[in-house]
Amino acid sequence: MIRRLLIVNRGEIALRIVRAAQESGLVSIIAHSEADTDTLAVQRADEAVCIGPAQASKSYLNIPAIIEAAKACQADAVHPGYGFLSESADFARAVKEAGMVFIGPDAEIIARMGDKAMARQTAIEAGVPVVPGSPHAVKGLDDALAVVESVGFPLLIKAAAGGGGRGIRIAEDRDALGKQLPLAQAEAQASFGDGRVYLERFISSARHIEVQVLGDGKRAVHFFERECSLQRRRQKVFEEAPSSALDSATRKALCESAVALTEHVGYVGAGTLEYLFDDTTGEFFFIEMNTRIQVEHPVTEMITGVDLVREMIRLACGQALRMTQSDISLKGWAIEMRINAEDPERDFFPSPGTVKRLIWPAGPGIRIDSGLYEGYKMPPFYDSLVAKLIVWDEDRECALKRAGRALDEFQLEGFSTTASLHRRLVEDPQVKEGAIDTTFLERWLAEPASSHVHAKEVIDEQ
Amino acid sequence: MTKPEIQAPFPGVFYRKSSPDAPVYVEEGQVVQVGDVIGLIEVMKQFVELKAEVSGTLLHFSVDNETVLEAGDVIATMEMNE
């Protein structure tokens, strides 16, 4: 068993892991940059160690500096959180070679599932449906055209090494494919140092639904799905669990496919399998696996009552899963609203600043994951996510109402946030109906605000 | 002749070039037109172009490449051509 856990991350997730470590009886040590000496995670952790300058490339992404710090503070395990080095096979390998436990799967699994083409091939082997597309990276146009027969148009040209929405082009027809393919390959080579691209069917109205799993290398269990269709520039904004799009038979088939793939690769730890769900046909297709804890994991914790971060620490230490599938049940509905330091009135321009006044919502069914405190000055170097407001209630309708109530209680002065966007979203008739797909939010934002139901008007009517 | 200063409109990291290997956008002493890109400011993982608001000669930069700025910090001094 481990005793001293080094947490190589910042912000709310660093604090989240400190809490799990302390509850697990571990000494929590935060590895932080020079810009993050005064974060709440550093204050709450048992110890802290500086790993380098503000720029992430010199600190949170600097593997030699992190390994050196880990050794110096006698850590016996390293938790990477999300983002930064959380899906770096090189980092996982370096941690292991230094004689420490990496809180995540083996480097080989990270590399295998991190490569989209390999992940897709692995899913096919495990009998999990994938979006119809090229079985391997396509070389020239002839190779691509041979695949078009089964894929159809419109189709996506995706870089094997891409991610987060980068390295994707759409081709409407053969002519477009002929023009786009060499460009996509050159772009992939330039952006990722890997020119391989593959083709897949473009599903015009898709929901983003993902399944949370835990595995111990022999066995895996799922914790139902999350729906993350509300996205802007392919970044999730608002997530919920479960999804309003699935009936119980589809949910069972989806979640069981995730378990099959997780067991097929002998996965250890917490993981998420992302799927596209085609609303018109009811089909689901595996797209990729994230081999880490995710930002939106709290909604799953709220509906299942399981602490996923504590469990992933246990699993990384070689312990067997403590539960079977029948021990895990779904109760109620949970919503997570990402509070970003961005101004929705100024096209989501970053708005770093100092917290002048802060009142969190409270009461039944509310959870706040955040590193903010009054007086905290946010550095301009990192991601704009500053808080996650999570609510749970008996059903979706109640959860949306509770989300509105929580947002009304939330007061933050010092900079703009996306809280005002969420206040409008939870009152929107289409959001209330669950009539959303991955393009909904951007279309909604492009509409004049006067066509939306304003939170203020709703309050006035009551 | 007036010598307007170019200030950081928001906090962030200032870059004089588009990538580490690229040439600088503007050399000291170079003439720039309204709208010419002078540098980039990185704030919360977004890169925003800093553009000249007046035409004239960029006399000198007050900060180096990769300097961390607060809003209002002086980045460069211009000399307007009369």
Side-chain angles (χ1 to χ4, degrees), chain A residues 74 88 102 145 204 208 221 231 244 295 311 330 402 430 448:
Chain A
Q74 295 181 299
S88 162
F102 178 75
L145 288 171
S204 58
H208 175 116
V221 290
Q231 304 184 359
S244 59
V295 176
E311 293 304 327
L330 190 169
R402 180 167 278 172
Q430 279 178 276

Side-chain angles (χ1 to χ4, degrees), chain A residues 164-380:
Chain A
R166 298 191 308 143
I168 296 178
R169 283 168 176 260
I170 298 174
E172 305 288 344
D173 51 36
R174 278 164 187 267
D175 284 351
L177 179 62
K179 288 195 188 89
Q180 299 279 352
L181 184 65
L183 291 174
Q185 287 170 325
E187 198 175 77
Q189 185 64 43
S191 301
F192 311 112
D194 177 354
R196 290 177 303 143
V197 299
Y198 62 97
L199 309 182
E200 69 179 37
R201 188 195 294 174
F202 176 55
I203 298 164
S204 58
S205 179
R207 288 173 185 263
H208 175 116
I209 297 179
E210 58 189 31
V211 179
Q212 175 71 54
V213 294
L214 289 180
D216 65 8
K218 297 187 180 71
R219 208 162 58 77
V221 290
H222 69 78
F223 293 81
F224 303 98
E225 80 281 6
R226 297 185 284 261
E227 169 148 13
C228 316
S229 296
L230 292 179
Q231 304 184 359
R232 179 178 170 274
R233 296 189 179 169
R234 295 180 189 267
Q235 297 296 312
K236 296 164 188 170
V237 169
F238 175 109
E239 303 100 339
E240 58 188 302
S243 165
S244 59
L246 303 186
D247 58 32
S248 57
T250 309
R251 173 169 298 119
K252 187 165 185 287
L254 173 76
C255 294
E256 284 178 356
S257 81
V259 170
L261 180 49
T262 309
E263 290 186 341
H264 179 77
V265 297
Y267 193 82
V268 176
T272 295
L273 294 93
E274 297 191 340
Y275 293 80
L276 285 180
F277 180 75
D278 188 334
D279 240 349
T280 51
T281 65
E283 292 171 286
F284 57 83
F285 306 108
F286 168 81
I287 42 175
E288 62 182 271
M289 182 170 192
N290 298 319
T291 55
R292 54 174 162 82
I293 195 72
Q294 286 193 263
V295 176
E296 60 273 22
H297 76 276
V299 290
T300 300
E301 296 183 324
M302 296 294 262
I303 60 159
T304 61
V306 174
D307 188 312
L308 294 168
V309 180
R310 284 201 314 233
E311 293 304 327
M312 74 188 290
I313 294 170
R314 298 172 57 95
L315 291 165
C317 294
Q319 297 191 28
L321 273 174
R322 295 191 302 144
M323 64 282 280
T324 62
Q325 194 61 57
S326 59
D327 297 328
I328 304 158
S329 57
L330 190 169
K331 185 161 184 267
W333 209 281
I335 291 170
E336 173 181 283
M337 291 158 283
R338 295 195 189 193
I339 309 296
N340 294 340
E342 295 170 3
D343 187 352
E345 304 299 317
R346 291 176 61 217
D347 196 28
F348 295 87
F349 195 78
S351 64
T354 300
V355 181
K356 304 266 192 258
R357 185 162 174 271
L358 176 63
I359 299 175
W360 291 120
I366 307 281
R367 167 174 169 179
I368 309 291
D369 280 21
S370 174
L372 293 183
Y373 59 89
E374 284 187 2
Y376 175 64
K377 186 183 177 198
M378 206 188 316

